[in-house]
Amino acid sequence: MGCASSIHISDRVVYHSGKESEDSHSPQQTNTTQHQGNPASGLPLKPPSCKESGQKKIPSDSGHNRKEQQSGETTSGKTTLTEVQFGPMKLFKDPLQVLLVFAKEDSQSNGFCWACEKANYRCSMVRTPEYALECFSEKHHDLVIIDHRHSRHFDAEALCRSFRAVNSSENTVIVAVVKRPDREEASVMPLINAGFNRRYVENVNLMACYNELLQLEHGEVRAQFKLRASNAIFTALEQSQDAIEITSEDQVIQYVNPAYESIMGYQQGELVGKEIIEVPKSEKNKPDLLETINSCIRKGKEWQGIYYAKKKNGDNIQQNVKITPVIGQGGKIRHYVSINRPLNDNNKSDKSADRVQAESQTDIQSCKHKDRRKGSLDVKSITSRGSDASSQRRHSSMARIHSMTIEAPITKVINIINQAQESSPMPVAEALDRVLEILRTTELYSPQLGTKDEDPHTSDLVGGLMTDGLRRMSGNEYILATKQPHHLPSHLATPLSLNDIPPRIAQTMESEDSWDFDIFSLEAATMKRPLTFLGLKIFSRFGVCEFLNCPEATLRSWLQVIEANYHSSNSYHNSTHAADVLHATAYFLSKERVKQSLDPIDEVAALIAATVHDIDHPGRTNSFLCNAGSELAILYNDTAVLESHHAALAFQLTTRDDKSNIFKHIERNEYRSLRQAVIDMVLATEMTKHFEHVNKFVNSINKPLAALEENGGSSDEETVKSVLTSPENRILVKRMLIKCADISNPCRPLELCIEWAGRISEEYFAQTDEEKRQGLPVVMPVFDRNTCSIPKSQISFIDYFITDMFDAWDAFADLPNLMQHLDNNFKYWKGLDDRKLHTLRPPPE
Ligand code: 5GP
Ligand code: MN
């Protein structure tokens, strides 16, 4: 208790045992378990606040006393502020704050307490790592002394690491008190690695403790105090309007400030570490100017004059330059500092620079005024704490930016290119600059139609399908008629199960597993309800009811509800189109590669997505809905309006009524996965994302598979499997699958292809008619029924959207018959176009 008696430590020390902290980490709990916690001292357990042992209060007007009071001897009643010279800067240091971390009070901790008192330091003592960190975060001590002798209480090295993990401990000196080693072989390296600055070999002699503290104060602590002030100097450099460059004695660039970066067009990273002679020079200077400058500054003299510098972009800039050699250790030149100011004084940026300077001058003046009023403490907080805080903020935001690069692949790519640029010759670096510009745009996958693409069919089609109503008209009051979802048409005879399907319909569906299956015959045979019947057959073939654990009656009812919500009045986007997409989906799912890649849940999701993917389609495009200010466009913020609606309505209708809820009997997690997959696929049919989906598929699947095939034939089955079945790639396969199914019309047998072309054209014509009627912007002017060339529109559609996509899908799934049809159909449209025909078919002979 030696310590306690002389400096009233009982009021100031936080007593808390290690054992308690193992059991509980909250202060409230520790208070209730005080018995075990307080072995030797016999003192009551104190609340975990951090108090100081220093007795001397700082008088609030003590500022004027600080002058030339060197070092730690106390004059009674007054706080000693120590003046520290740092280069030309004068700093004022208040008494050392010391934190002692000792699990148990003993003669060693008492020795340090006594020494602190003698040296007039402010001292806190804590017993557990938790409180040590808590106390530190409050006081930010200059010196922390941690007991490293008894590992059973706490892990001193781990504690030191925790301190170092806190940014604000950067300038704190941390000392480990260790046992006297048996042999002098113990290395200090583990301590240094843990972040300790110094080792103190246990010595309870009071003078030994005192001398140790004095040495620390005048040595490491003082040095750290000065280093802390360099934050202010760096801030000055960073804020300067002049371009500043610092080099080593052999003229390797060590630093350029932000003004330098913005004036010269370089990034710091491009220059730091380079020799000055490596940076391109302007030819406008007199040939011997550089030599003159060098011979002057190498003698240790300052050079000042006008100098042309070359910016990164090759432009020359005339500057007033001052280069000053910095004399350091051993009286030798250690750095050169070059301060450069562009000469054209009357340019705008200079004026704004002057203004900024004028403003900051008034700031400085007002700060000075405050200083005088409030005394010395403010000076300290401005020079050290203030700049500490800003550098911490900078550090932590840098750390955040750094960790972002770990997350975002695009940022990684940009960083890699940035790095490569640093060591690349100019032409390469410039080319990479253009690459970066492209990468930084968000619409990476949307082709930009160049001026050479003058075909109005293509541009209208692309404009119509690839934008979300950007050509909106203002003040348009048009709102699509809203309607309640359709209920089941009760008067229509519906099959009770697969076995009840009328023979004529069953017969029509017999060839349903062939690509050449005629969906229009089914449309006719089912009185425009092909989706329910084909759905029953295909879902049964894939065992969907078994997977969902749902009765066939529920599936039937569900299919009916879904089909009833397609608009039979649309010429294209009706339930026949949905049945057609379902058919194509089932066909693709039976391809070997697709089967290898997808799980049963993916198959079920794909079939459901195909069935619902255009539900309640109004026969108008997204652009139209946005232009018209329709309720749906408002609801979905003009973004993927229809696709969002299809997905949302599908789930509303499904879960609204148990009778048709096919998800009723699956597990919650399975439902969530299935739901997510269905939504993702329906949203993937949105055409604004067409190129994104196709490109991702090509890059992540086609290319890796092609590379594997080239390398090892079929030898590397495992790697192929991993490409096919990774979760990310399965998503890409499913998206590609539904996209290809959705716009597979041009790959169908010619007669079917012609029928679809007629239907989509008619739907587009109807939209144009309505746009004209309503005075809305005409989204796709080529689709005017009086002037449109259907062959041309099909050629454009195939060229722009179909060819590349089906090449990629064929490379993956192997679809020779589709590609053959596509080829035939394309030739057919070309043939008509060559004959300048605008119609679906040639005129009868
Ligand atoms: P869906 O709305 O059917 O989910 O998405 C496919 C898009 O491609 C639709 O906007 C549809 O209008 C368009 N599309 C499908 N087939 C053709 C076609 O043969 N020609 C043209 N011009 N557009 C088509
Ligand atoms: Mn569709």
Side-chain angles (χ1 to χ4, degrees), residues 54-293:
Q55 285 298 285
K56 317 294 186 287
K57 285 271 173 289
I58 305 171
S60 59
D61 60 345
S62 66
H64 60 271
N65 279 328
R66 69 185 181 223
K67 266 189 205 151
E68 306 305 325
Q69 288 178 343
Q70 274 296 325
S71 155
E73 302 298 335
T74 326
T75 51
S76 69
K78 286 183 183 149
T79 299
T80 313
L81 285 182
T82 307
E83 193 176 284
V84 177
Q85 195 73 29
F86 179 36
M89 229 174 156
K90 254 193 208 349
L91 313 169
F92 300 96
K93 171 105 190 71
D94 44 11
L96 242 61
Q97 298 245 28
V98 181
L99 177 65
L100 301 176
V101 190
F102 283 80
K104 277 184 186 161
E105 192 186 338
D106 63 10
S107 45
Q108 185 64 75
S109 65
N110 287 339
F112 280 123
C113 282
W114 176 87
C116 285
E117 164 73 351
K118 182 167 170 59
N120 194 33
Y121 301 158
R122 299 177 202 167
C123 167
S124 315
M125 184 161 124
V126 294
R127 288 179 173 266
T128 68
E130 289 80 358
Y131 290 153
L133 291 166
E134 196 178 314
C135 189
F136 180 77
S137 70
E138 219 177 298
K139 302 269 175 211
H140 302 291
H141 307 80
D142 304 289
L143 177 61
V144 179
I145 299 177
I146 302 177
D147 189 355
H148 186 285
R149 295 165 302 164
H150 310 290
S151 56
R152 70 197 140 89
H153 294 309
F154 56 73
D155 182 347
E157 286 175 30
L159 174 57
C160 187
R161 284 200 187 86
S162 307
F163 271 105
R164 291 308 184 199
V166 182
N167 262 341
S168 56
S169 78
E170 204 186 338
N171 300 110
T172 301
V173 176
I174 309 184
V175 176
V177 177
V178 301
K179 280 200 178 120
R180 183 164 297 283
D182 299 332
R183 292 165 291 147
E184 254 319 325
E185 277 159 25
S187 164
V188 292
M189 259 346 268
L191 296 177
I192 289 172
N193 289 338
F196 285 104
N197 300 82
R198 209 175 145 72
R199 177 182 78 167
Y200 178 78
V201 177
E202 143 181 87
N203 183 349
V204 301
N205 178 287
L206 295 181
M207 276 315 283
C209 295
Y210 180 57
N211 284 335
E212 174 71 12
L213 291 187
L214 288 184
Q215 287 183 63
L216 283 165
E217 186 200 358
H218 291 266
E220 188 81 47
V221 173
R222 175 81 40 98
Q224 289 296 339
F225 182 65
K226 290 180 184 177
L227 270 182
R228 219 160 73 181
S230 61
N231 282 324
I233 299 163
F234 283 128
T235 304
L237 287 173
E238 302 262 301
Q239 299 299 330
S240 165
Q241 304 287 339
D242 290 336
I244 300 173
E245 177 198 60
I246 302 179
T247 72
S248 66
E249 64 263 43
D250 37 27
Q251 299 200 313
V252 173
I253 299 171
Q254 297 172 315
Y255 171 80
V256 296
N257 71 344
Y260 188 104
E261 289 179 307
S262 68
I263 292 170
M264 300 301 293
Y266 286 102
Q267 300 277 301
Q268 204 180 53
E270 297 172 278
L271 294 173
V272 169
K274 279 216 171 102
E275 273 188 61
I276 276 206
I277 44 164
E278 289 175 73
V279 181
K281 300 277 173 296
S282 168
E283 323 72 27
K284 286 192 153 192
N285 295 307
K286 283 196 199 121
D288 56 353
L289 181 60
L290 259 183
E291 245 183 76
T292 315
I293 296 173

Side-chain angles (χ1 to χ4, degrees), residues 461 465 572-573 577 581 613-614 617 621 642-643 646 682 685-687 742-746 753 756-757 760-761 763-764 783 793-794 797 801-802:
L461 201 65
L465 295 182
Y572 181 91
H573 285 104
H577 167 62
V581 175
H613 88 280
D614 270 334
H617 197 296
T621 61
L642 280 171
E643 293 71 20
H646 302 320
V682 174
T685 63
E686 192 215 345
M687 293 299 282
D742 190 23
I743 48 178
S744 62
N745 314 161
C753 166
W756 286 123
I760 189 72
S761 303
E763 199 168 293
Y764 285 161
F783 285 97
S793 79
Q794 283 296 307
F797 185 65
F801 293 105
I802 298 294

Side-chain angles (χ1 to χ4, degrees), residues 456-457 460-461 757 760-769 771-772 778-790 792-794 797:
H457 289 87
D460 277 14
L461 201 65
I760 189 72
S761 303
E762 178 48 42
E763 199 168 293
Y764 285 161
F765 294 157
Q767 174 169 316
T768 303
D769 291 345
E771 284 164 341
K772 286 184 178 170
V778 177
V779 178
M780 298 179 280
V782 291
F783 285 97
D784 183 314
R785 63 176 74 253
N786 303 313
T787 52
C788 182
S789 159
I790 294 176
K792 271 197 201 311
S793 79
Q794 283 296 307
F797 185 65

